[in-house]
Amino acid sequence: MRCRRCGHENTTSARFCSSCGTALGDDETVSLEMAEDRHLLDDELGGALERLADGVGMLVVRRGPNAGSTFVLDHDSISLGRHPDSAIFLDDVTVSRRHAVVRRRDDGYEIADVGSLNGTYLDHDRIETAPLHDMSQIQIGRFVLTFVVGERG
């Protein structure tokens, strides 16, 4: 069960988050809160999520020097880093020149750290490679990005 406060994935029998201590509700409550968060994010972006094609991913910079920026993930591999040739240029000394890569797979998207000094974090956990899910939070240096995927419903 994913914690609605910090995003940490807990065992299904847990009553409290093992990361932050928040009481865990039922899955329906967490799903409703994630849907509300997605709706609020869409409002902030002027409806950009509604216009996102079904199955296409997008990163939204929530915190960092270019907060509010959006990046549509329309290639099979998208590099993130401080190198000027990065597809997503994150200009801060806390970001490695070649920090991470987001890859599109048949079953969705994944993120992989590519040997960065400060690490890549997904929903507050340091990762090497991990699948991305709608409303996942990525931290790269001082940048916090939210991953969203287009859905038609």
Side-chain angles (χ1 to χ4, degrees):
M1 175 179 296
R2 185 179 301 260
C3 175
R4 64 184 171 272
R5 179 169 175 252
C6 72
H8 180 76
E9 191 66 38
N10 294 278
T11 62
T12 55
S13 61
R15 293 181 45 209
F16 297 92
C17 178
S18 62
S19 179
C20 71
T22 298
L24 299 174
D26 58 17
D27 286 336
E28 184 176 320
T29 302
V30 174
S31 296
L32 286 173
E33 288 182 5
M34 287 182 71
E36 288 173 8
D37 290 346
R38 184 181 169 96
H39 182 72
L40 290 172
L41 179 60
D42 192 39
D43 285 347
E44 287 175 29
L45 299 174
L49 301 185
E50 291 296 322
R51 294 186 299 274
L52 194 59
D54 189 32
V56 174
M58 182 168 66
L59 291 176
V60 180
V61 180
R62 304 304 298 274
R63 190 173 67 215
N66 53 347
S69 299
T70 60
F71 301 94
V72 176
L73 306 175
D74 53 2
H75 291 88
D76 289 338
S77 181
I78 307 287
S79 60
L80 296 91
R82 193 168 37 92
H83 193 282
D85 291 340
S86 296
I88 299 176
F89 178 59
L90 302 175
D91 191 17
D92 190 85
V93 297
T94 61
V95 178
S96 294
R97 291 174 61 74
R98 305 207 190 284
H99 200 104
V101 64
V102 173
R103 296 183 192 102
R104 183 171 29 195
R105 302 290 184 200
D106 291 338
D107 59 345
Y109 289 84
E110 73 177 11
I111 187 165
D113 187 275
V114 291
S116 70
L117 181 62
N118 292 326
T120 300
Y121 293 81
L122 181 64
D123 295 327
H124 306 283
D125 292 324
R126 189 170 182 160
I127 57 97
E128 293 300 319
T129 301
L132 290 170
H133 304 284
D134 193 52
M135 296 302 292
S136 292
Q137 180 178 302
I138 301 164
Q139 183 167 354
I140 296 176
R142 291 187 182 131
F143 291 85
V144 174
L145 306 101
T146 298
F147 172 79
V148 291
V149 65
E151 55 187 38
R152 299 287 181 239

